[in-house]
Amino acid sequence: MIVFLAFLVYPILEGMRLSLYQINYDSEKFVGLANYTTLFNDPVFFKAIFNTIIFVVFIVLLTVGFALFVASAVFDKNAKYVSFIRGSYYIPVMVSMVVMSMVWSFLLNPANGLISFIYKDMGLGTINLLGNPKTVLPVVIFVTFATNVGQAIILYIASMIGVSKELFEAAEIDGASRWQVISKILIPSVGPTTTYITIINIIAVLKIFVVIQLLTGGGPNNSSVTLMYYLYNNAFKYNQLGVASAVGVIMFVITLLLSVPQLRSMIKVK
Amino acid sequence: MSKIRNKKKREKFDVISNVIIVLFALLNLFPLYWLFTSSLKNSSDVVKMPPDWWPKSITFSNYVDVFQNQPALRWTFNSIYVSGVSTIIVIVVGAMAAYAFSKINFKGKDIIFIIFISSLMIPKEIMIVPLFRITQQFGMVNSYNGMIWPNVAGAFGVFLLKGFFDLTPNALREAGRIDGANEWRIFTRIMVPIIKPGIGALFILNFVQVWNDYLWQLVIGQENKMKTLMVGTATLMQDLNPNFAYKMAGATIAAIPMLLVFMLFQRFFTNGITAGAVKE
């Protein structure tokens, strides 16, 4: 309980306080809302917000859509096949974003990466997906999505296995096609799981960091900066702890608002 | 007649989607295949164009290099120690708190539980600045304490284990009480053994989570010898050494333990991830 208070509740309050101060190594000076003003005058901050929103929207849509597709196609197949699918999509989640970012960075390397080679081999010339502001966002979206979709698939499969068998039998008697079964019975039945997956994924994408640091470094020319990366740079590179705290407070408010519906349902179930 | 056609269409739709799914699964695993095979190539083969799809001559020299040039053994120890100790604390504290929330009535219980649950939704990453300053004030930078304690504060363990305790029948407690056992004895001798699957799931999920944690360990372990495997490996990425085989060897060292854990305990993952999230 003390640990919980010291490392969880107190930091939130402390973060709010720090966001109103200018902090140098040892001294703190109260500056009111100046840190927030600084933020709102920094184009990179808006770039970070914009990119974060793009990431959230696309990664969450892809994850929910694809996980629903995979789970609804495999949930009623035999157990060995289900666990093969579960396993092969979950392994990248297991080995972590750090490792996956390193491999992707090698694969995408313009000089000697496999993807660049294949592209050249097909006669399409040289390609530098991470060095181009137009392609860097889609690449990060794809890598993050492909690495993390396994978790959503596991949740969906478990929740679909729990759907009452009688519903499917009734549908079969009525001669419903598989597509009808999926869209009319399966997807509505797993509604709560969809809400849960959506919210935990929004929050997970909000704090996206590793892939940015290791794959793009926020570049080229800040075109892939995210809020979390911006926060980190301000805090630990530019030593702007006050500004970084302000970013943290803004992200805290966003997360809190997002998590209200989920919390409500969790509390109700209890 | 129409039913037969329907069935055919249904199967076609099913077959196509399953083919796509399997192909995408294999595509998804390919980067890992590339990681392993690259780490076994020598430094000139790894950047060869066209690439060798399978290493022509297998060498372990990249691994030797990582262990010789970097304190990779120390990083591995740090990872095991930090993940292990954090997880044990999470389980002991989590089990006691979860038992209290599940079975014992006390004042303010609901409010405290709601605050606990709310904290599940707030990623500690966004509080990294105040968190860092607090650990700094405690003098915990570059220490195992600093690497462990902030990981322990979190309600996930309590939440997961409470779900398991809620499923245990109250009759067992009453039976224990009739036999003259006090609350502590009931907890340790009757309840904890029943929720062993929950503890197993929590152990693995938490261990993996701390093992794979990056941002906090990056900030708190600044000395090279205090880095965890994840952070240490990632520094290889920014290394000026252009040899990708060497970097891939580092990444493989960080990945292999998790792969082993997954293969041995797949069941626990599915149980743990779905407990609390999926309601029927």
Side-chain angles (χ1 to χ4, degrees):
Chain A
M1 195 70 202
I2 291 164
V3 174
F4 177 78
L5 285 174
F7 291 105
L8 225 89
V9 179
Y10 178 64
I12 293 172
L13 303 174
E14 175 73 359
M16 290 177 184
R17 190 182 71 80
L18 290 178
S19 75
L20 303 175
Y21 284 78
Q22 186 185 43
I23 303 152
N24 294 317
Y25 299 92
D26 288 319
S27 64
E28 288 179 4
K29 198 175 96 204
F30 184 78
V31 291
L33 294 174
N35 289 325
Y36 292 90
T37 325
T38 313
L39 274 184
F40 287 104
N41 284 315
D42 183 0
V44 180
F45 176 65
F46 286 101
K47 190 79 204 157
I49 290 189
F50 174 76
N51 288 340
T52 307
I53 293 172
I54 298 276
F55 285 144
V56 167
V57 170
F58 282 97
I59 295 172
V60 172
L61 284 179
L62 272 172
T63 304
V64 171
F66 189 74
L68 262 178
F69 169 66
V70 172
S72 56
V74 307
F75 82 103
D76 55 353
K77 303 289 182 290
N78 77 56
K80 273 221 175 94
Y81 178 63
V82 172
S83 85
F84 163 73
I85 292 296
R86 240 182 350 213
S88 42
Y89 282 101
Y90 197 69
I91 282 174
V93 183
M94 277 301 295
V95 301
S96 94
M97 211 62 223
V98 173
V99 172
M100 293 310 284
S101 300
M102 290 177 73
V103 195
W104 279 106
S105 144
F106 177 41
L107 284 166
L108 291 161
N109 187 293
N112 44 35
L114 184 63
I115 290 172
S116 320
F117 166 74
I118 292 172
Y119 197 80
K120 208 187 273 171
D121 203 40
M122 293 192 305
L124 297 167
T126 51
I127 190 173
N128 184 0
L129 290 171
L130 294 175
N132 181 340
K134 287 206 183 73
T135 50
V136 68
L137 294 189
V139 170
V140 172
I141 289 170
F142 178 78
V143 169
T144 314
F145 152 72
T147 304
N148 292 320
V149 71
Q151 178 120 7
I153 292 176
I154 287 192
L155 287 168
Y156 269 132
I157 291 179
S159 141
M160 285 176 184
I161 287 173
V163 174
S164 155
K165 296 282 166 293
E166 285 153 34
L167 286 173
F168 297 120
E169 280 158 19
E172 195 160 345
I173 291 164
D174 291 343
S177 71
R178 186 168 175 94
W179 172 244
Q180 282 170 325
V181 171
I182 290 172
S183 60
K184 297 270 162 61
I185 299 176
L186 206 51
I187 294 180
S189 308
V190 297
T193 309
T194 305
T195 318
Y196 178 77
I197 291 174
T198 308
I199 291 169
I200 58 165
N201 270 290
I202 292 175
I203 293 171
V205 177
L206 206 60
K207 58 174 197 186
I208 189 169
F209 173 79
V210 174
V211 65
I212 303 297
Q213 199 204 22
L214 295 183
L215 213 52
T216 74
N221 193 17
N222 286 326
S223 55
S224 62
V225 163
T226 59
L227 276 176
M228 196 59 225
Y229 191 69
Y230 182 79
L231 191 164
Y232 173 84
N233 274 348
N234 267 303
F236 300 102
K237 252 195 199 151
Y238 314 141
N239 203 32
Q240 294 282 341
L241 289 175
V243 175
S245 302
V247 181
V249 170
I250 292 171
M251 290 178 76
F252 171 73
V253 173
I254 299 172
T255 330
L256 204 62
L257 291 177
L258 284 170
S259 54
V260 167
Q262 180 62 24
L263 286 175
R264 227 183 245 156
S265 78
M266 277 166 132
I267 290 161
K268 227 182 271 161
V269 165
K270 180 192 80 73
Chain B
M1 184 62 195
S2 86
K3 195 159 184 197
I4 294 168
R5 201 193 300 143
N6 221 337
K7 181 133 195 162
K8 225 177 217 162
K9 218 166 85 192
R10 177 158 85 203
E11 278 167 0
K12 206 167 144 201
F13 173 71
D14 207 25
V15 168
I16 294 172
S17 43
N18 276 288
V19 168
I20 295 174
I21 287 162
V22 171
L23 283 179
F24 196 85
L26 296 176
L27 196 72
N28 215 13
L29 293 176
F30 179 78
L32 288 170
Y33 168 80
W34 204 239
L35 167 74
F36 293 136
T37 50
S38 301
S39 75
L40 297 170
K41 291 174 182 172
N42 63 46
S43 55
S44 60
D45 281 351
V46 76
V47 292
K48 206 166 80 183
M49 293 290 165
D52 293 333
W53 293 97
W54 174 252
K56 291 251 158 59
S57 57
I58 290 180
T59 168
F60 289 97
S61 64
N62 301 307
Y63 290 89
V64 176
D65 279 357
V66 174
F67 280 106
Q68 265 172 3
N69 299 336
Q70 300 287 347
L73 214 57
R74 171 76 188 217
W75 293 343
T76 313
F77 168 79
N78 290 347
S79 277
I80 295 173
Y81 184 80
V82 170
S83 316
V85 174
S86 310
T87 304
I88 289 167
I89 300 173
V90 163
I91 288 175
V92 172
V93 177
M96 291 195 284
Y99 179 69
F101 279 124
S102 176
K103 299 291 182 198
I104 300 168
N105 283 314
F106 56 90
K107 223 177 138 198
K109 173 172 145 176
D110 289 345
I111 305 264
I112 298 175
F113 191 67
I114 288 169
I115 298 173
F116 253 76
I117 294 296
S118 315
S119 75
L120 272 180
M121 291 292 163
I122 309 296
K124 70 169 191 289
E125 282 86 348
I126 61 179
M127 290 300 140
I128 196 148
V129 174
L131 207 50
F132 181 71
R133 283 177 62 91
I134 292 160
T135 29
Q136 210 173 22
Q137 276 151 19
F138 286 159
M140 287 181 177
V141 176
N142 278 318
S143 78
Y144 287 121
N145 274 327
M147 298 164 88
I148 290 169
W149 288 106
N151 281 317
V152 174
F156 177 71
V158 180
F159 181 66
L160 183 92
L161 292 182
K162 181 177 179 291
F164 281 89
F165 277 124
D166 284 346
L167 296 174
T168 60
N170 278 321
L172 280 174
R173 280 181 76 210
E174 279 145 29
R177 194 152 307 128
I178 289 163
D179 290 344
N182 61 19
E183 202 67 69
W184 177 248
R185 253 188 104 77
I186 293 173
F187 172 70
T188 52
R189 293 294 155 88
I190 303 175
M191 301 309 270
V192 168
I194 298 178
I195 61 146
K196 256 188 200 151
I199 292 178
L202 178 58
F203 187 92
I204 287 164
L205 285 174
N206 200 78
F207 192 90
V208 172
Q209 193 217 319
V210 181
W211 183 281
N212 284 341
D213 181 28
Y214 180 72
L215 188 52
W216 180 248
Q217 309 297 2
L218 172 71
V219 168
I220 201 77
Q222 292 162 347
E223 281 170 35
N224 205 25
K225 70 175 179 40
M226 287 310 285
K227 283 176 178 152
T228 55
L229 202 44
M230 269 317 142
V231 179
T233 313
T235 55
L236 296 182
M237 206 58 217
Q238 285 125 338
D239 204 327
L240 292 173
N241 186 340
N243 180 0
F244 265 100
Y246 168 74
K247 298 177 188 200
M248 292 302 108
T252 309
I253 297 167
I256 280 183
M258 292 301 98
L259 286 174
L260 290 178
V261 167
F262 182 70
M263 280 163 193
L264 291 172
F265 303 105
Q266 215 199 108
R267 187 170 54 92
F268 284 108
F269 280 99
T270 334
N271 286 350
I273 297 167
T274 50
V278 179
K279 297 137 207 154
E280 282 164 32

